[in-house]
Coordinates of all heavy atoms in Angstrom, one line a residue:
R68 N 45.6 0.6 -12.6 CA 46.1 1.9 -11.9 C 45.6 3.1 -12.7 O 45.2 4.1 -12.0 CB 47.6 1.9 -11.7 CG 48.1 0.9 -10.7 CD 49.6 1.1 -10.5 NE 50.1 -0.1 -9.8 CZ 50.7 -1.1 -10.3 NH1 50.9 -1.2 -11.6 NH2 51.1 -2.1 -9.6
A69 N 45.6 3.0 -14.0 CA 45.2 4.2 -14.8 C 43.7 4.4 -14.6 O 43.2 5.5 -14.5 CB 45.5 3.9 -16.3
Y70 N 42.9 3.3 -14.4 CA 41.5 3.4 -14.2 C 41.2 3.9 -12.8 O 40.3 4.8 -12.6 CB 40.8 2.0 -14.3 CG 39.5 1.9 -13.7 CD1 38.4 2.6 -14.2 CD2 39.3 1.1 -12.5 CE1 37.2 2.4 -13.5 CE2 38.1 1.0 -11.9 CZ 37.0 1.6 -12.4 OH 35.8 1.5 -11.8
D71 N 41.8 3.4 -11.7 CA 41.4 3.8 -10.4 C 42.4 4.8 -9.7 O 42.3 5.0 -8.5 CB 41.2 2.6 -9.5 CG 42.5 1.8 -9.2 OD1 43.6 2.3 -9.5 OD2 42.4 0.7 -8.7
G72 N 43.3 5.4 -10.5 CA 44.1 6.4 -10.0 C 45.2 5.9 -9.0 O 45.7 6.7 -8.2
G73 N 45.4 4.6 -9.0 CA 46.4 4.0 -8.1 C 45.8 3.5 -6.8 O 46.6 3.0 -5.9
A74 N 44.5 3.7 -6.6 CA 43.9 3.2 -5.3 C 43.5 1.8 -5.5 O 42.3 1.4 -5.6 CB 42.7 4.1 -5.0
T75 N 44.5 0.9 -5.7 CA 44.2 -0.5 -6.1 C 43.9 -1.4 -4.9 O 43.6 -2.6 -5.1 CB 45.4 -1.1 -6.8 OG1 46.6 -1.0 -6.0 CG2 45.6 -0.3 -8.2
S76 N 43.8 -1.0 -3.7 CA 43.6 -1.9 -2.6 C 42.2 -1.9 -2.0 O 41.8 -2.9 -1.5 CB 44.6 -1.6 -1.5 OG 44.5 -0.4 -0.9
R77 N 41.5 -0.7 -2.1 CA 40.2 -0.6 -1.5 C 39.1 -0.3 -2.5 O 39.3 0.6 -3.3 CB 40.2 0.4 -0.4 CG 41.2 0.1 0.7 CD 40.9 0.9 2.0 NE 41.9 0.6 3.0 CZ 41.8 -0.4 3.9 NH1 40.8 -1.3 3.8 NH2 42.7 -0.6 4.8
P78 N 38.0 -0.9 -2.4 CA 36.9 -0.6 -3.3 C 36.3 0.7 -3.0 O 36.2 1.1 -1.8 CB 35.9 -1.8 -3.1 CG 36.2 -2.2 -1.7 CD 37.6 -2.0 -1.5
A79 N 35.8 1.4 -4.0 CA 35.0 2.6 -3.8 C 33.6 2.3 -3.7 O 33.0 1.7 -4.6 CB 35.3 3.6 -5.0
I80 N 32.9 2.7 -2.6 CA 31.5 2.4 -2.4 C 30.8 3.7 -2.1 O 31.0 4.3 -1.1 CB 31.4 1.4 -1.2 CG1 32.3 0.2 -1.3 CG2 29.9 1.0 -1.0 CD1 32.4 -0.6 0.0
P81 N 29.9 4.0 -3.0 CA 29.1 5.2 -2.7 C 28.3 5.2 -1.4 O 27.8 4.1 -1.0 CB 28.1 5.3 -3.9 CG 28.7 4.4 -5.0 CD 29.5 3.4 -4.2
P82 N 28.2 6.3 -0.7 CA 27.6 6.3 0.6 C 26.1 5.8 0.6 O 25.7 5.1 1.5 CB 27.6 7.8 1.0 CG 28.7 8.4 0.3 CD 28.8 7.6 -1.0
D83 N 25.4 6.0 -0.5 CA 24.0 5.6 -0.5 C 23.9 4.1 -0.7 O 22.8 3.5 -0.5 CB 23.2 6.3 -1.6 CG 23.8 6.1 -3.0 OD1 25.1 6.1 -3.1 OD2 23.0 6.1 -4.0
I84 N 24.9 3.4 -1.1 CA 25.0 2.0 -1.3 C 25.4 1.2 -0.1 O 25.0 0.1 0.2 CB 25.9 1.6 -2.5 CG1 25.4 2.3 -3.8 CG2 26.0 0.1 -2.7 CD1 23.9 2.0 -4.2
R85 N 26.3 1.8 0.7 CA 26.9 1.2 1.9 C 25.8 0.6 2.8 O 26.0 -0.5 3.4 CB 27.7 2.2 2.7 CG 29.0 2.5 2.0 CD 29.9 3.3 2.9 NE 31.0 3.8 2.1 CZ 31.4 5.0 2.1 NH1 30.8 5.9 2.8 NH2 32.4 5.4 1.3
S86 N 24.7 1.2 3.0 CA 23.7 0.8 3.9 C 23.0 -0.5 3.4 O 22.4 -1.2 4.2 CB 22.6 1.8 4.1 OG 21.9 2.1 2.9
K87 N 23.1 -0.8 2.1 CA 22.5 -2.0 1.6 C 23.5 -3.2 1.6 O 23.0 -4.4 1.3 CB 22.1 -1.8 0.1 CG 21.0 -0.7 0.1 CD 20.5 -0.5 -1.3 CE 19.4 0.6 -1.3 NZ 18.8 0.7 -2.6
I88 N 24.7 -3.0 2.0 CA 25.7 -4.1 2.0 C 25.8 -4.6 3.5 O 26.0 -3.8 4.4 CB 27.1 -3.6 1.6 CG1 27.0 -3.2 0.1 CG2 28.1 -4.6 1.8 CD1 28.2 -2.6 -0.5
L89 N 25.5 -5.9 3.7 CA 25.6 -6.5 5.0 C 27.0 -6.7 5.5 O 27.3 -6.4 6.6 CB 24.9 -7.9 5.0 CG 23.4 -7.9 4.6 CD1 22.9 -9.3 4.5 CD2 22.6 -7.1 5.7
D90 N 27.9 -7.1 4.6 CA 29.3 -7.3 4.9 C 30.1 -7.2 3.6 O 29.5 -7.3 2.5 CB 29.5 -8.7 5.6 CG 30.8 -8.8 6.3 OD1 31.5 -7.8 6.5 OD2 31.1 -9.9 6.8
R91 N 31.4 -7.0 3.7 CA 32.2 -6.9 2.5 C 33.6 -7.2 2.8 O 34.1 -7.1 4.0 CB 32.1 -5.5 2.0 CG 32.6 -4.4 2.9 CD 32.3 -3.0 2.4 NE 32.6 -2.0 3.3 CZ 33.8 -1.4 3.5 NH1 34.8 -1.8 2.7 NH2 34.0 -0.5 4.4
D92 N 34.3 -7.6 1.8 CA 35.8 -7.7 1.9 C 36.3 -6.3 1.9 O 35.8 -5.4 1.2 CB 36.4 -8.4 0.7 CG 36.3 -9.9 0.8 OD1 35.9 -10.4 1.9 OD2 36.6 -10.6 -0.2
S93 N 37.2 -6.0 2.8 CA 37.7 -4.6 2.9 C 38.7 -4.3 1.8 O 39.1 -3.1 1.6 CB 38.4 -4.4 4.2 OG 39.5 -5.3 4.4

Side-chain angles (χ1 to χ4, degrees):
R68 286 183 196 100
Y70 160 69
D71 67 15
T75 57
S76 64
R77 298 199 183 273
I80 308 166
D83 58 323
I84 300 303
R85 285 188 193 130
S86 65
K87 296 182 180 189
I88 295 175
L89 298 175
D90 197 6
R91 62 187 172 88
D92 281 349
S93 61

